Amino acid sequence: MTQDSHVATTDAQTLVQSYLDAFAARDLARCLDFYAEGAEVKFVSGVYAGRAALEEWHKERFAADLQILRVDSVSVDRDTVKIDLMLASNRLKFFRINSLAARATVRLDAGRIREAHFGPRFTDPFEGW
Amino acid sequence: MKDRPNILVIAIDSLRADHLGCYGYPHATSPNIDAFAREGALVERFVCAGLPTHPSFTTLYTGQHPITHGIVAHGPRNALGKDSPFLPQVLLEEGYTTCAVDNLATGRLWFRRGFEYYIDPSMRHSLYIDVTSEELNARAIPWLKAHADEPFFMLIHYWDPHWPFNPPARYQHLFYEGNPTDPGNRALERWWQHPLGAVAKDTWMRRPEGLITDPDYITALYDREIRHVDDGVGALLGALDRFGLSDDTVVVLLGDHGESLVEHGIFFDHHGLYDVTLHVPFLVRWPGHVAPGTRLARMLQHHDIAPTLLDAAGVRIPREMDGESFLGLLTGASDAAGRERAVSCECTWQAKWSLRTDRHKLILARAPDLYGSPERELYDLAADPREERNMADENPELAAALTDELESWIATRLSALGRSEDPLRQHGISLNFS
């Protein structure tokens, strides 16, 4: 995706969905192109800052075959998109976790990702009782 | 003055004894805990019976060894039997108001048993282990004030020293000078190959300035988290003083298990039956009953806690509890308590038993571990307290004798319980976080 098309993509939700599509396609260059200069990824409690670190983070996730099983909800609040999803990966499978409730919180700035936080999502064990 | 004492159990996750000043650590990690230790009794050799958190807390609550209650690992295959006694349940029935400030019941419902109040501030976090001592105290201290006139039992479970080690910024000047992200430092590369190390490398060891590569820095982060929880303990004990409760309250401070930092190639987790993980602090303060400065050299374990606290409360100890009260040791009324042998087990990341005597420790594996450790390890704890020289091959007679003793202990206990299969073999390694 080119910088021009980034700028043209004003709808935050669409932009984040496009990023997730690129992630699912394992398209590293396209994924990185979504990020602004100096962007950060927070992964659980880890922080990846700078292009080399972001590249490494994506490669590690691809190597672990991180997959989005299901999107449970999407909400947009000004420049921030919050997505609740269910994930699976080889790394989780090692620990006998077949799926994990997760949340992606993505803050945008001028049509690019400024900051993204990916982490597990608290699920109330008494929900639905 | 109430006719029965209040009971406050301060349980600190992943706290190894030898990183506290009162157990000889040279760094100032624990000024409040050290002061507390001087006001009562310190148990020099308190040995965890079951690793990690769920087995250990179940042992604490039931007064039963893991071989009896059956919770030998984390994971969904576990369920505590209804016939296991449970400390808060017994105290509730005896008229105590019971409260846990904790989150273990989120994963396993039996941790809720017997608690009239169950307060879980970690529900505001996506990861329950991220709850801080400040958040727990913010709920616990008003509760103590509100229930000051009732005989109460409270257990508060602090998580600060549990990984990920992310101490608040106010502690960042402590215990370390160096370059934590030096790319030339390869000391942790072996750890990255371990599944737990890979998770750590991808998450909490990744800082804006780069990947942490210096294990000494991570040890400093662990020590900062101890200082963090120490401040929390100080605040809680200060509140107890302000509310006029200290004289009427038995306060116990303990670790559920320790933490292997770099020892034995096990980095920053709590598996492995070595003393860094098994040896935890145990402190008791009970003004007028336990003399300040008391030090107990006898070996004790977590299943001895519930009988002891019930004894202190004047409550009959359920016969299903297989721990023993050491109240007499604490008060000086008797010296007939303590263990000559301590058996421990783990089945979450590896399946092992250990038998500890005054002098030696035998570790026996039921399945190969990820480190390629031998099936049988034997250490001379007097000559080699760091457990670095496995002497099983050079002293096969002693290794065989201790193996026979351990196997016999397991078989006898199982027979008494009407079971035949070793619970570690039956359960299998769970590899489960929660």
Side-chain angles (χ1 to χ4, degrees), chain A residues 32-74:
Chain A
L32 293 175
D33 209 26
F34 279 92
Y35 285 88
E37 188 71 29
E40 276 187 1
V41 163
K42 291 182 180 165
F43 184 51
V44 195
S45 53
V47 181
Y48 292 72
R51 191 170 177 88
L54 294 186
E55 186 172 332
E56 188 185 348
W57 181 80
H58 282 84
K59 283 180 176 171
E60 286 285 335
R61 305 286 74 71
F62 296 165
D65 197 25
L66 179 66
Q67 296 194 26
I68 299 168
L69 301 177
R70 187 179 79 223
V71 173
D72 289 334
S73 69
V74 181

Side-chain angles (χ1 to χ4, degrees), chain A residues 46-48 61 91 96 120, chain B residues 126 202-204 206 429 431:
Chain A
V47 181
Y48 292 72
R61 305 286 74 71
R91 188 155 296 167
R96 298 176 185 165
Chain B
S126 56
D202 277 0
T203 57
W204 62 273
R206 185 71 65 158
I429 296 171
L431 295 174

Side-chain angles (χ1 to χ4, degrees), chain A residues 40 43-49 53 56-57 60-61 91 94-97 120-126 129, chain B residues 77 106 109 123 125-127 164 166 195-196 198-199 201-204 206-208 349 370 429-433:
Chain A
E40 276 187 1
F43 184 51
V44 195
S45 53
V47 181
Y48 292 72
E56 188 185 348
W57 181 80
E60 286 285 335
R61 305 286 74 71
R91 188 155 296 167
F94 177 85
F95 295 110
R96 298 176 185 165
I97 301 170
R121 167 167 45 110
F122 175 79
T123 49
D124 188 339
F126 304 106
W129 278 33
Chain B
R77 278 172 279 175
T106 304
L109 279 177
M123 290 184 81
H125 291 273
S126 56
L127 282 175
N166 290 312
L196 279 173
V199 171
K201 178 176 180 253
D202 277 0
T203 57
W204 62 273
R206 185 71 65 158
R207 302 293 159 112
W349 304 110
L370 290 167
I429 296 171
S430 71
L431 295 174
N432 204 293
F433 281 109

Side-chain angles (χ1 to χ4, degrees), chain B residues 319-332:
Chain B
R319 58 187 167 85
E320 294 84 1
M321 289 188 173
D322 44 30
E324 292 176 12
S325 170
F326 55 95
L327 185 66
L329 279 183
L330 290 171
T331 61

